Amino acid sequence: MSAVDLCLLTAGLLLGLGPLALLGQGRGRSSAVVYSASGLLCAVLALSGLAGLGGLGIGTSRVLPLGLPWMGAHFAFDALTAFFLVVLGFGGGIISLYAIGYGRHEHAPMRVLPFYPAFLGAMALVLLAADAFSFLLSWEVMSLLSWALVLTHHQEEDARKAGYVYLVMAGFGTMSLLLAFGLLAGPDGAYQFDAMRGTAHPPLMAVAILGLMLLGAGSKAGLAPLHVWLPLAHPAAPSHVSALMSGVMTKVALYGFIRVVFDLLGPVAWWASPVVILLGAGTAVLGILLAMMERDLKRALAYSTIENIGVIFAALGLAMAFRANGMTAAAALAFTAALFHIFNHMAFKSLLFMGAGSVLNATGLRDLDGLGGLIHRMPVTSFLVLVGAMAISALPPLNGFASEWLIFQAVLLSPDAPQAAVQMIIPAAGGLLALAAALAAACFVRIYGVGFLGRPHSEAAANAQEVDRVSLTAMALLAATCLLAGIFPGTVIDAMAPVVDAMLSGRLPVQADETWFTIIPIAESRSSYSGMLVFVFVALSASAAAWAVHRFASDRLRRAPAWDCGFPDASPLTQYSAGGFAQPIRRVYGTDLLGARETVTMPPPGDTGPARHELLVGDPSWNGIYLRLALAVTYVTTRMNRLQFLTIRRYLTLVFMSLIVLLVGLMLWR
Amino acid sequence: MAFLSDPVHIILGLPLASAALLAVLPGYRLSSRINILACLITFLAAFALFFVERPAPGTYFLVDELNIVFIVLNTFVGFTAATFSASYIAHELEIGRLTPAYLRFYHAMYQVMMFGMNLALLSNNIGLMWVAVEIATLSTVLMVGIYRTHEALEAAWKYFILGSVGIALALFGTILVYLAAQPVLGEGQPAMIWTNLLLHANDIDPALLNLAFVFLLLGYGTKVGLAPLHAWLPDAHAEGPTPISAVLSGLLLNVALYAVLRFKMIMAANDMALDPGPLMITMGLVSLIFAALMLYRRRDIKRLFAYSSIEHMGIIVFAFGMGGPLANFAGLLHMVMHSLTKSAIFFSVGHVAQIKGTQKIAEIRGLTQSHPLLGWGLAAGVLAIAGLPPFGVFMSEFLVVTSTFSREPVLALLLVLGILLAFGALLLRLTGFIFGEPTGELKPSEASYVPLFAHMGLVLMAGIYLPGAMVAWFQAVARLLG
Amino acid sequence: MPGIAFDTAHLLSGGLLLVSFMMIYQDRMFSLLRIFALHAVVLSLSVAWQAYIQGAPHLYVTAAIALIFKAIIIPSALRRIVVQLGIHREVETVVGIGVTMLAGIGLSALSIVLMLDVTQGADPYAREDLAFALSVVLLGLLMMVTRRNAVSQIVGFMSLENGMILAAAGAKGMPLVVEISVAFSVMVAFIVIGVFLFRIRERFDSVDVSVMDQHRGDQR
Amino acid sequence: MILQLFVQGIQMLLVVALAPLLVGIVRRVKARLTRHRGAPLIQPYRDILRLMRKEVVLAENASWLFRVTPYMVFAGTWVAAALVPTFSTGLQFSWTADLIAIVALLGSARFFLALAGMDVGTSFGGIGSSREMMIATLAEPAMLLTVFSLALVAGSTQLSHVSAYLASPEVGLRVTLGMGLIALVIVALAENARIPVDNPSTHLELTMVHEAMVLEYSGRHLAMIELASALKLLLYVSLIGCIFFPWGIAQPGDGLARHGLALLLYVAKLAVAGTLLALFETSIAKMRVFRVPNFIGTALMLALLGALLLFVTRSV
């Protein structure tokens, strides 16, 4: 059985598992069975992906007599597919493991179980598809199933709104993809990827395809300003689904972008790439600023996903810029960085969403200002979330830093590009990326500090219980991944080399030969980084210092009340809240970028009523684009609605006028 | 029984005979069963057309690759709608919206309508086709008004008046075609036979043909429901019995479209005549975008889906207007898929309206919670009609959009705009229907969901897998359409 | 074809168009009905003349139907309705008579221009006849859309239909003409009965919109 | 190889040993400038030792994170400081982390410190953490842009290489370098909680940033944190020294004597830097928190401008 057949079979089984789940009716152990089966099948996908990266089964393909009848459904297994299968299988597998524990608390299992495995299967099919129709079909099925999952708790108004916005955005994205494939395929409908690869596209058309892909894949991945569904949909879904959507599905969207832009399209004019880079960098900053302002834990994580997607797009844009100039080594560096970050984000964002899910299960709360003190009540979860938070904040020696470091190395190569625009825009974008990274650290200090540290803000948080071992195991596995990928980045880079080679016909130098697991992207004199040594040094010096201090100085310790500034028994509410923590950053960046407005209403002198502090922060793209669009549609439809209530005479007039118009047209046509 | 050996005779004769029988039979149970049976046999006969040797085109009848698709679809949906109608109509009788006498009338008219549509599809004679379309129209007018409420009468009346004008315009067009063809083909019947017309299309005076096409497009276009000739359609769908709405959307529109297509083929065969493409594209786009915008403010669930039918007719007419093998294939496929899906939607809407006792959109909530099977069935239907995979409509939209974009980017963008607008509106409503806390009574529905899921099953299958024979068939037809 | 036959046919068709114009000009109900009867008479004459010159006996049937049904029965039925339902004796128009006349002239011009394209070799009578028929059809439609009153709209529809019969009769050897005229007569009867039975004059065009809205399914 | 390992070891000990001295110099000079006598230069050493020996008074709500943080902060800063060339570029492990990684290591230390500020659950910790992170969001991009323009000049982000390149005679005076220097100094002031961004000697709650964050620390924990901040100051001084004033820094091939000389020179550089810092701090007032963005924004602009100017000069 070839690799592609194995993966197809697995995807088919996942799809079939959905309807099978209906039989269980959500009773008893059926959810555990479904999730375990999904996890195992995901493991198969991950292993085939890994084997593929090792060179096994690459190039196998299969045509099934489905889909477009005269063409069949084409599926293929290449290095890019293999890499994303690893992302999907690994992420999906661990999330399924988590779901075994988490799913027990689901009160509407029948709204999750039938869709969950099928969602995984659809994503696998997207990765395997090798013609436009199968690709879009799987893509849309993936959207549809995740839509159903978002609406698990459909009684909530928010979930319904989220589902609606999500599906409309998905529809918009699909239409853009449809147009992009229309251009790629040409008027004769050469829908196979192989045929598209062979066709040369005029420069302007290539740019148009790129633009449409940015709209299509970007809207699914969460590229600003098409990201608005993400912060709505992710909090609404059950947490393991959020993890899957944020950690894995956005990656599948990126796969679509990479597949078309890097594989099918060929080099695009260089002047298109700065747009991608700036879009990505802008998305990163906007996303993380919005995350900074958000009180809802899962929504903040969703915004942070937008940031990371922005970072990845910026890296892909860099790769495009370098490729357009024939700088293969530099392009390989940027592309490797993007892939690495894709893998990393899958790991830490899934981990963080699982953490949020555990917190949600333990306390029933998503509001940061209701949490606090969880590090005492849920020590393991808190520790694992801390690892995730460090990784996503790009702190060495964890994996988030390794990929960001590579991206900065790629940014530093931009002076070699011949065009002044590329030279000047990329450093600016690099500045934006640095800003986003710094803001991400601030954002996660805020999330962790307010949500997990300090004293509990609410009864629910004070009585939280640690979650079950299965969930913890799943989270621990991802935390370990974050650490390992951070310490041994060279191994990961080498594993990704076949993908880079397949897309760009070039790769980074082999990293396995370097001592101490150092990575050297270009040359040692230029830059190098050894995550392992940093880890060892920091761990050694910290423990040495601790040992020395305890041994030679003092190890006495006394518990006492915190310093209260003379006001004893301060309520936990006097702690810094999520909003309070964000205030300095909001003042600095939010006033202009997000239109943040604060108003303080003081009661008149003598009145003992409370003062009111109101804060208005909004997503500028929501208010600037979507709300206006909705208003425009409402306006037009309201005006047009009168056409439903005309008299028969007026309708006849319409018929008459059409006739006259056509007749006059006919007269003029001659 | 040589008469019965020809399926065409059964397809036409059986509905007429059953109509006569049903007109005199009391008792709705028996009638509805006879109705189903008659439709089933008609369908089987239509299906048999695939296997028997086709008669040569005659003065009156014609069986070719184009209309066989239509006729099989027509009789099939007629059959499933009759099945649905049996379970639907019992409830209407129960709550007293209909009396047994009206039911007798209803069943008889159902068969008359089927006869009219089958006749229109089978006729090789443009005069006969016109007559048949009018029979179908007038019989549906009577069905729409059957509830005798003010609203129903108003809708039927509007349908009747606008329909009459449409009839007149189509007739004028038909006369013009005859006038144009008569110098070439001779007087009398020969100048009205479609196969002859097509054969000698190039010799026919193009100016008259152009003029005729304008009238025919508007006349039959009124029946197709193309904006701005659509006004009868939403109200007729909304106020008639739901099986009739299903038949209207699923079949009658197709029949009218079929008539337009036949004339389009003649136009295309004449080198000097006006290219019907741009005209159809324009009308298709106008209908699509107009209907998509109108979807947003609907308050009645059946009107909502009626406007969606206008929208889809727009897409289909657009596809046929674009022409070429891919677009024609897509147009045909879309038409079939739309018929199946839209009638399935109306089946489920009928049940929903009976359960909830209302057609008001605002009062239908949380169906997946209160009636999971019905709710998800409706969801599948609406998602399918909105163009989402894995349903068949997606495939046809995929083909239309992709093949158009590389030929006419601007048109494709408009098409996409319209599809997206409609998508937004349908999804907005669907979210309301199937999610949230259920409203109204939670009584179970005793209706049969078989027709609904049979249709959706077919639509689902078509979205993933189209049998090769069917594809070859469609491709042949697509070539035929030019 | 002998010249006299052609000229007579021509004259009758032209007469029909002229009467159409008279109907548009007319703003009193009863005289409108009288002129409509005249319209039907002219049509009947024209069809009969066609029957004669084409030697097509079935066209005599059509002529008879037109005469009996449209010139006598329907006008008197409409007159009864107007009296019984107390419909205004004035015809309410949407735009002024003058403007309507101008539009009508424009429509006739349009029809003639369109017919000029028709191959010169075609039967000249058919061509001229068609131009007139098309004008009559368009004028009928014009009348339907510019009159608020149900009765005058019915009259408009019938004159439209007359134009159609004229075209059909002028087309040599056209089958189904009789059937068509019967069908149309039945349809018009339906309309008349509809107006009469359901008193739905306001459904054509309401004086009071709010009343009608109550009878619409989809409330605003 | 052996020498490099030796140099690396010396450097590790040296930075810890010298860091309190630098703080002592700054305090002493400041005191003198304001006509105080001032504490002796070794006072910071005494403070740290005394703190080490004291018992820790831990807030009731403090978690393990609070107790681990001092060592993590110290270790992170120490490793970073050990990788910045002070008197010699021939460090055995210099390739472990380039300038970007060093900045990120300091970021890790700050991350933990800010978390620790939030851990006890009082509002002082929160105020310090949130302001610290805000300042970091401004300082880090400025720092990275500076790194960027330096890397453009030197073709590397590896500090040893940068330093060696800039020490070589072919590098003349460059506008970009000047701008980079100003930017780096501003960033250093901000990062080390110096005036005008923060006041290291204040204990008035509403004006504190760094001190508010560590308010709950006592005993050996406080000692580690004090030592870490001293190390950080030293790190930035060494950084500025090795990039902009690389005179006399020993190269890998040089002998022992050369290294000894470089060491002395380095101590002298420290003294000069401490004096200059004290001079600057006494001559300027602390800013309002919300004027800080403008101040650090200047660094950001300068760094960006420096990078762009470089393109202009390169393309000519």
Side-chain angles (χ1 to χ4, degrees), chain D residues 15-60:
Chain D
V15 286
V16 181
L18 285 182
L21 180 68
L22 179 61
V23 176
I25 295 174
V26 176
R27 286 193 190 155
R28 176 87 177 181
V29 177
K30 263 175 104 171
R32 281 298 163 92
L33 285 171
T34 50
R35 300 204 156 219
H36 293 97
R37 277 186 60 196
L41 282 179
I42 55 161
Q43 188 59 38
Y45 293 98
R46 288 190 193 148
D47 288 348
I48 286 171
L49 283 177
R50 193 188 68 234
L51 282 171
M52 288 228 187
R53 283 198 298 268
K54 279 192 155 186
E55 75 170 350
V56 168
V57 181
L58 201 61
E60 272 150 4

Side-chain angles (χ1 to χ4, degrees), chain D residues 127-191:
Chain D
I127 202 174
S129 302
S130 75
R131 288 179 177 181
E132 173 84 3
M133 293 317 284
M134 182 270 281
I135 292 170
T137 62
L138 293 159
E140 272 193 16
M143 180 74 190
L144 272 165
L145 277 177
T146 315
V147 172
F148 191 82
S149 53
L150 287 176
L152 284 182
V153 176
S156 171
T157 54
Q158 206 58 42
L159 266 178
S160 304
H161 290 272
V162 174
S163 177
Y165 175 78
L166 290 173
S168 60
E170 71 251 33
V171 184
L173 267 177
R174 286 212 182 158
V175 187
T176 303
L177 285 183
M179 289 182 167
L181 173 61
I182 302 175
L184 196 53
V185 167
I186 294 177
V187 170
L189 289 173
E191 287 270 349

Side-chain angles (χ1 to χ4, degrees), chain D residues 274-305:
Chain D
T275 315
L276 285 176
L277 178 60
L279 258 173
F280 181 74
E281 283 199 309
T282 32
S283 58
I284 197 165
K286 187 191 169 302
M287 284 176 176
R288 280 183 61 215
V289 166
F290 290 107
R291 285 198 55 210
V292 169
N294 298 342
F295 180 63
I296 309 179
T298 316
L300 204 76
M301 288 304 118
L302 281 174
L304 192 60
L305 211 59

Side-chain angles (χ1 to χ4, degrees), chain A residues 58-137:
Chain A
I58 293 295
T60 50
S61 63
R62 166 72 51 197
V63 183
L64 293 180
L66 301 174
L68 281 187
W70 56 87
M71 203 176 77
H74 292 245
F75 297 96
F77 185 86
D78 64 1
L80 187 64
T81 299
F83 172 73
F84 278 94
L85 276 176
V86 173
V87 173
L88 165 65
F90 188 71
I94 291 185
I95 292 168
S96 301
L97 179 64
Y98 174 78
I100 296 174
Y102 182 82
R104 276 185 226 148
H105 307 279
E106 182 57 61
H107 53 79
M110 285 320 284
R111 282 182 183 271
V112 183
L113 289 185
F115 303 116
Y116 178 86
F119 178 40
L120 286 166
M123 287 195 282
L125 281 183
V126 173
L127 301 180
L128 292 165
D131 70 82
F133 183 76
S134 318
F135 179 85
L136 280 174
L137 183 85

